[in-house]
Amino acid sequence: MNTTRRALLKASLALPLVTLAPLAWVGPALSSEGVNGEGDTPPLARRMLVIHSAQGPHRLSVELAQTQAQRQKGLMGREVLPADHGMLFTYEREQSAHNGFWMYRTLIALDIAFIDSDGTIVAMMTMPPCESSSPSDCRVYAPGKPYHAALEVNAGYFEQSGINVGDCVSIPSEAGSCQPTN
Protein backbone atom coordinates (compact mmCIF):
# COMPACT_ATOMS: atom_id res chain seq x y z
CA MET A 1 0.00 0.00 0.00
CA ASN A 2 1.40 3.38 -0.98
CA THR A 3 1.72 5.48 2.19
CA THR A 4 2.08 8.73 0.24
CA ARG A 5 -1.20 8.11 -1.62
CA ARG A 6 -2.97 7.23 1.64
CA ALA A 7 -1.71 10.46 3.26
CA LEU A 8 -2.81 12.51 0.23
CA LEU A 9 -6.33 11.08 0.26
CA LYS A 10 -6.71 11.47 4.01
CA ALA A 11 -5.58 15.09 3.69
CA SER A 12 -7.80 15.68 0.65
CA LEU A 13 -10.87 14.22 2.32
CA ALA A 14 -10.19 15.88 5.69
CA LEU A 15 -13.28 18.02 5.36
CA PRO A 16 -15.81 18.55 8.16
CA LEU A 17 -17.34 15.10 8.42
CA VAL A 18 -20.29 13.53 10.13
CA THR A 19 -20.73 9.78 10.16
CA LEU A 20 -23.77 8.82 8.11
CA ALA A 21 -26.27 6.26 9.21
CA PRO A 22 -26.67 3.51 6.62
CA LEU A 23 -28.20 5.00 3.50
CA ALA A 24 -30.97 2.45 3.49
CA TRP A 25 -32.28 4.09 6.68
CA VAL A 26 -35.95 4.90 6.52
CA GLY A 27 -37.43 7.17 9.14
CA PRO A 28 -39.56 10.20 9.73
CA ALA A 29 -36.96 12.60 8.34
CA LEU A 30 -37.32 11.17 4.84
CA SER A 31 -41.01 11.96 4.68
CA SER A 32 -40.94 15.16 6.71
CA GLU A 33 -40.84 18.70 5.38
CA GLY A 34 -37.56 19.16 7.29
CA VAL A 35 -35.46 17.02 4.96
CA ASN A 36 -37.25 17.15 1.64
CA GLY A 37 -38.87 20.59 1.71
CA GLU A 38 -37.54 23.68 -0.03
CA GLY A 39 -34.92 25.68 1.84
CA ASP A 40 -34.49 22.95 4.43
CA THR A 41 -30.71 22.58 4.30
CA PRO A 42 -27.99 25.19 3.89
CA PRO A 43 -26.24 25.44 0.51
CA LEU A 44 -23.68 22.70 -0.01
CA ALA A 45 -19.97 23.53 -0.03
CA ARG A 46 -18.20 22.95 -3.36
CA ARG A 47 -14.75 21.66 -4.22
CA MET A 48 -12.91 20.83 -7.41
CA LEU A 49 -12.13 17.13 -7.62
CA VAL A 50 -9.83 15.35 -10.08
CA ILE A 51 -10.10 11.74 -11.22
CA HIS A 52 -6.75 10.54 -12.57
CA SER A 53 -7.19 7.86 -15.21
CA ALA A 54 -5.16 6.38 -18.05
CA GLN A 55 -7.03 8.80 -20.35
CA GLY A 56 -5.91 11.85 -18.39
CA PRO A 57 -7.25 13.96 -15.54
CA HIS A 58 -11.00 14.59 -15.34
CA ARG A 59 -12.06 17.64 -13.33
CA LEU A 60 -15.42 17.84 -11.59
CA SER A 61 -17.10 20.47 -9.47
CA VAL A 62 -18.56 18.51 -6.56
CA GLU A 63 -21.01 19.41 -3.85
CA LEU A 64 -20.07 18.09 -0.42
CA ALA A 65 -22.80 16.43 1.58
CA GLN A 66 -21.46 17.30 5.04
CA THR A 67 -24.41 17.02 7.42
CA GLN A 68 -26.63 14.04 8.07
CA ALA A 69 -29.59 15.84 6.49
CA GLN A 70 -27.56 16.69 3.36
CA ARG A 71 -26.39 13.08 3.07
CA GLN A 72 -29.86 11.68 3.50
CA LYS A 73 -31.20 14.03 0.84
CA GLY A 74 -28.28 13.61 -1.58
CA LEU A 75 -29.50 14.40 -5.09
CA MET A 76 -33.18 13.67 -4.33
CA GLY A 77 -35.64 15.79 -6.26
CA ARG A 78 -33.13 17.22 -8.73
CA GLU A 79 -34.22 17.14 -12.34
CA VAL A 80 -30.78 18.03 -13.75
CA LEU A 81 -27.15 17.61 -12.73
CA PRO A 82 -24.89 19.76 -14.92
CA ALA A 83 -22.16 18.00 -16.92
CA ASP A 84 -18.87 17.77 -15.01
CA HIS A 85 -20.66 18.15 -11.67
CA GLY A 86 -21.31 15.65 -8.92
CA MET A 87 -21.78 15.06 -5.21
CA LEU A 88 -19.08 13.68 -2.90
CA PHE A 89 -19.98 11.83 0.29
CA THR A 90 -17.07 11.34 2.72
CA TYR A 91 -16.89 9.38 5.96
CA GLU A 92 -14.70 9.57 9.05
CA ARG A 93 -14.56 5.79 9.30
CA GLU A 94 -14.36 3.07 6.72
CA GLN A 95 -17.84 2.03 5.59
CA SER A 96 -18.85 -1.60 5.35
CA ALA A 97 -18.93 -3.26 1.96
CA HIS A 98 -22.67 -3.78 2.63
CA ASN A 99 -23.52 -0.10 3.29
CA GLY A 100 -24.86 1.40 0.12
CA PHE A 101 -26.86 4.09 -1.59
CA TRP A 102 -30.42 4.12 -2.88
CA MET A 103 -32.35 6.13 -5.43
CA TYR A 104 -35.51 6.89 -3.46
CA ARG A 105 -37.01 10.16 -4.76
CA THR A 106 -34.03 10.58 -7.11
CA LEU A 107 -35.21 11.65 -10.55
CA ILE A 108 -32.04 11.25 -12.64
CA ALA A 109 -29.91 8.17 -13.32
CA LEU A 110 -26.51 8.34 -11.64
CA ASP A 111 -23.13 6.63 -11.73
CA ILE A 112 -21.50 6.04 -8.36
CA ALA A 113 -17.84 5.36 -7.56
CA PHE A 114 -16.83 4.04 -4.14
CA ILE A 115 -13.39 5.25 -3.07
CA ASP A 116 -11.01 3.71 -0.50
CA SER A 117 -8.71 5.49 1.96
CA ASP A 118 -5.91 5.64 -0.65
CA GLY A 119 -8.13 7.53 -3.12
CA THR A 120 -8.54 4.47 -5.33
CA ILE A 121 -11.90 3.70 -6.91
CA VAL A 122 -12.79 0.22 -5.62
CA ALA A 123 -16.25 -0.20 -7.19
CA MET A 124 -18.50 1.57 -9.69
CA MET A 125 -22.08 1.11 -10.83
CA THR A 126 -24.97 2.85 -12.52
CA MET A 127 -28.12 3.51 -10.49
CA PRO A 128 -31.42 4.14 -12.30
CA PRO A 129 -34.10 6.17 -10.48
CA CYS A 130 -36.43 4.24 -8.18
CA GLU A 131 -39.96 4.93 -9.39
CA SER A 132 -41.65 3.57 -6.28
CA SER A 133 -43.29 5.90 -3.79
CA SER A 134 -42.36 3.41 -1.07
CA PRO A 135 -38.74 3.65 0.12
CA SER A 136 -38.73 -0.04 1.07
CA ASP A 137 -39.20 -0.92 -2.61
CA CYS A 138 -36.02 0.90 -3.67
CA ARG A 139 -32.89 -1.16 -4.27
CA VAL A 140 -29.76 -0.46 -2.21
CA TYR A 141 -26.55 -0.28 -4.26
CA ALA A 142 -23.70 -1.62 -2.11
CA PRO A 143 -20.13 -1.83 -3.46
CA GLY A 144 -19.13 -5.19 -2.04
CA LYS A 145 -15.89 -3.57 -0.81
CA PRO A 146 -15.19 -1.22 2.12
CA TYR A 147 -14.94 2.47 1.23
CA HIS A 148 -14.24 5.93 2.71
CA ALA A 149 -16.00 8.11 0.13
CA ALA A 150 -18.54 7.89 -2.68
CA LEU A 151 -18.89 10.08 -5.75
CA GLU A 152 -22.18 10.47 -7.66
CA VAL A 153 -22.22 11.85 -11.22
CA ASN A 154 -24.57 11.67 -14.21
CA ALA A 155 -25.10 8.14 -15.51
CA GLY A 156 -22.68 7.34 -18.31
CA TYR A 157 -20.02 9.84 -17.21
CA PHE A 158 -17.49 7.21 -16.08
CA GLU A 159 -17.80 5.13 -19.24
CA GLN A 160 -17.67 8.18 -21.54
CA SER A 161 -14.58 9.48 -19.71
CA GLY A 162 -12.75 6.13 -19.61
CA ILE A 163 -12.77 6.07 -15.79
CA ASN A 164 -12.37 2.62 -14.26
CA VAL A 165 -11.94 0.77 -11.00
CA GLY A 166 -8.32 1.36 -9.92
CA ASP A 167 -8.27 5.01 -10.99
CA CYS A 168 -7.37 7.62 -8.38
CA VAL A 169 -9.40 10.55 -6.98
CA SER A 170 -7.95 13.70 -5.38
CA ILE A 171 -9.03 17.17 -4.29
CA PRO A 172 -6.18 19.46 -5.43
CA SER A 173 -7.22 22.41 -3.23
CA GLU A 174 -6.83 20.19 -0.15
CA ALA A 175 -3.68 18.26 -1.11
CA GLY A 176 -1.52 17.20 -4.03
CA SER A 177 -2.58 14.92 -6.81
CA CYS A 178 -2.18 11.21 -7.45
CA GLN A 179 -1.47 9.22 -10.58
CA PRO A 180 -3.41 6.31 -12.09
CA THR A 181 -2.27 2.85 -11.07
CA ASN A 182 -2.67 1.24 -14.49
Side-chain angles (χ1 to χ4, degrees):
M1 192 176 295
N2 183 326
T3 344
T4 305
R5 261 180 85 191
R6 176 180 282 158
L8 284 174
L9 180 69
K10 285 186 179 179
S12 69
L13 296 179
L15 306 167
L17 304 172
V18 177
T19 302
L20 175 66
L23 291 171
W25 176 84
V26 179
L30 289 178
S31 60
S32 73
E33 185 77 16
V35 170
N36 294 320
E38 291 298 316
D40 56 339
T41 56
L44 299 176
R46 276 199 182 278
R47 293 281 192 286
M48 287 305 295
L49 174 143
V50 179
I51 303 172
H52 304 271
S53 75
Q55 297 197 7
H58 306 277
R59 288 169 177 71
L60 295 169
S61 174
V62 295
E63 294 174 79
L64 303 172
Q66 296 179 288
T67 69
Q68 186 170 349
Q70 290 169 340
R71 291 174 182 173
Q72 287 174 348
K73 186 172 181 179
L75 293 170
M76 282 181 183
R78 303 233 190 139
E79 295 179 0
V80 174
L81 181 63
D84 299 331
H85 282 69
M87 182 172 281
L88 181 68
F89 300 81
T90 59
Y91 303 87
E92 288 180 3
R93 294 179 186 83
E94 183 175 78
Q95 298 299 293
S96 164
H98 305 292
N99 286 355
F101 285 63
W102 64 352
M103 297 293 285
Y104 178 63
R105 293 188 180 172
T106 304
L107 307 175
I108 54 177
L110 299 170
D111 280 349
I112 188 166
F114 295 91
I115 305 161
D116 72 9
S117 62
D118 290 334
T120 302
I121 297 173
V122 296
M124 296 171 25
M125 57 193 69
T126 298
M127 306 181 299
C130 175
E131 296 179 10
S132 177
S133 60
S134 172
S136 61
D137 292 337
C138 296
R139 175 181 169 193
V140 175
Y141 296 86
K145 297 183 187 260
Y147 61 98
H148 275 269
L151 172 64
E152 291 180 341
V153 295
N154 284 307
Y157 178 83
F158 295 140
E159 184 177 355
Q160 292 167 1
S161 302
I163 295 168
N164 297 294
V165 169
D167 289 342
C168 183
V169 178
S170 70
I171 301 176
S173 67
E174 303 292 328
S177 63
C178 53
Q179 299 301 316
T181 57
N182 28 355

